[in-house]
Amino acid sequence: MHASETVPGDTVPGDTIPGLASRQLAWQVLQAVAAGAYADAALERELASLARTGGGLSAADRGLATEIAYGAIRQRLLLDGWIDALGKVSALRQPPALRWLLHVGLYQLLFSDRVPAAAAVSTTVALAKRVGLGRLAPVVNGMLRSLLRRRDSLAGAEPWDGLPLPADAAAALALRRSLPPWLSAELLGWLPPERAEAFALACNAVPALDLRANPLRTTRDALLERFTAAGVAARALPGAPHGLTLLERVGDPRDLPGYADGLWCVQDRSAQAIAPLLDPQPGQRILDACAAPGGKSTHLAELIGDQGELWALDRSEARLRRLDRNAERLGLTCIRSLALDATAPAEAKPHWQGTFDRVLLDAPCSGLGTLARHPDARWRITPEAIDGLVLLQRQLLEALLPQLAPGGRLVYATCTVEPRENGGLIAALLAAHPGLSLLEERQWWPEPPAGERGGGDGFYAAVLQAPA
């Protein structure tokens, strides 16, 4: 029987139980991600499907569905650990539909402050009945109540308290913070234990929503005043001249003041530090080699006052169309987008060689600095995949260095903390190109939460200069 089918006696009318539709949508997202979908795309697809059938959720219910889906995906390993401890069948041997439904209930009991325990249990049991798992509803009820009994005396406990932890430090960190065991072991090799713990904490935080004011159309202070007048809580970001961050949850950011007028765009605070490292100047010829969806391209265009020639390359025409729309909204005219493989620009554009004052390579990478923002990424990345990425990154650098004019500057950036993709790669490049100079090298680590929301993503940047 398919998980979404029902049998007589199983069905519970969804409209009689508040919040049941939110839980069902979250459960469907978990199944889609387990089958290979990306979390954000799966959530968007399920919300759109529900809206088409006339069952659209309120803003509060959308928020609850998002919290449960993203949170349960982040906490997959820990939630599986609880299933292993509480059930007679291990998590990996559970029917997938039941495993993800248990994750919906367990996540609420362990992590959600706004859902009473009784509501978490009752709605999960009702969901089991609604989606054709009614015969397993007693199992669901028993496991969730067993968790509550085990943790009844643990006031203010951590989500793993009451769960047996491995003696091995890396395995224990992986289980407590729901990280892939290979990544947990690597972290403890890169960082002292307290910093590895901070990284893991940052990966599980709800990410901040940071914005970048468009200095060609407004100032950060003026934008903050507009937000205040509209009742939107925000503050300036120190160290980011045009950056601000929202202090509360919002619905669709496109509904915020100034979006349609091109006064701002969404960009993480760490990402806002990358384009200025190029020291771009008005009138220069600039290449953004892996540009889509365009946050750094538009930032570069703003920094040069929209005066110059900025080529934005990407292999994906669809992603470039998104860049073009954003540039148009921001009123930027100097960006010229082109669908092109940046590993071989000389073949398509031989006359480009030696002509660019500035080159930005925001390289494809493992994304280990953005695990809070992409909850499913930690389960997709493998050490073997990173090996392939390092080869691609080196190939891109070797193809782009010849595009630099004498004395030109190239910034290599990633959103990862993996040393092989960052400092190790740049050290090997410099050894192979003695005339190349390293002007600056920086690693940003993801910031643990300060208040309700997390801080910036993890980024790396190396500033390279060609010989004059």
Side-chain angles (χ1 to χ4, degrees), residues 151-158 161:
R151 291 171 54 85
D152 185 48
S153 61
L154 301 174
E158 296 285 4
D161 285 342

Side-chain angles (χ1 to χ4, degrees), residues 281-468:
Q281 301 298 320
Q284 285 185 329
R285 183 172 163 84
I286 301 173
L287 176 63
D288 186 354
C290 298
K296 297 179 183 69
S297 294
T298 55
H299 196 186
L300 286 167
E302 291 168 6
L303 291 173
I304 62 174
D306 202 31
Q307 299 174 37
E309 184 181 348
L310 199 164
W311 284 90
L313 308 186
D314 202 88
R315 295 176 65 177
S316 169
E317 289 190 13
R319 284 163 58 83
L320 283 175
R321 285 195 292 271
R322 180 178 167 190
L323 184 157
D324 290 338
R325 290 193 298 271
N326 206 27
E328 182 179 4
R329 181 180 63 84
L330 295 168
L332 302 170
T333 61
C334 73
I335 299 175
R336 304 172 69 177
S337 63
L338 178 65
L340 187 66
D341 185 347
T343 62
E347 296 178 11
K349 299 287 185 180
H351 58 284
W352 276 5
Q353 186 160 330
T355 66
F356 285 97
D357 303 292
R358 301 287 188 266
V359 173
L360 173 62
L361 172 55
D362 186 14
C365 70
S366 59
L368 293 177
T370 63
L371 296 186
R373 202 168 301 282
H374 303 290
D376 49 318
R378 71 188 70 190
W379 311 121
R380 298 180 186 279
I381 302 162
T382 65
E384 294 75 24
I386 293 174
D387 292 338
L389 285 166
V390 172
L391 292 174
L392 174 60
Q393 291 153 358
R394 179 62 183 266
Q395 188 179 4
L396 285 163
L397 282 165
E398 295 289 359
L400 293 168
L401 283 175
Q403 311 310 313
L404 277 178
R409 179 177 292 197
L410 182 148
V411 167
Y412 170 80
T414 70
C415 56
T416 188
V417 296
E418 163 60 68
R420 287 181 294 158
E421 300 177 78
N422 295 341
L425 179 67
I426 293 302
L429 184 77
L430 291 169
H433 295 271
L436 202 59
S437 301
L438 177 62
L439 302 183
E440 186 178 352
E441 185 177 29
R442 293 188 62 184
Q443 176 74 68
W444 293 262
W445 289 85
E447 298 174 17
E452 183 180 339
R453 299 242 168 171
D457 293 338
F459 266 85
Y460 169 86
V463 185
L464 305 171
Q465 187 165 24

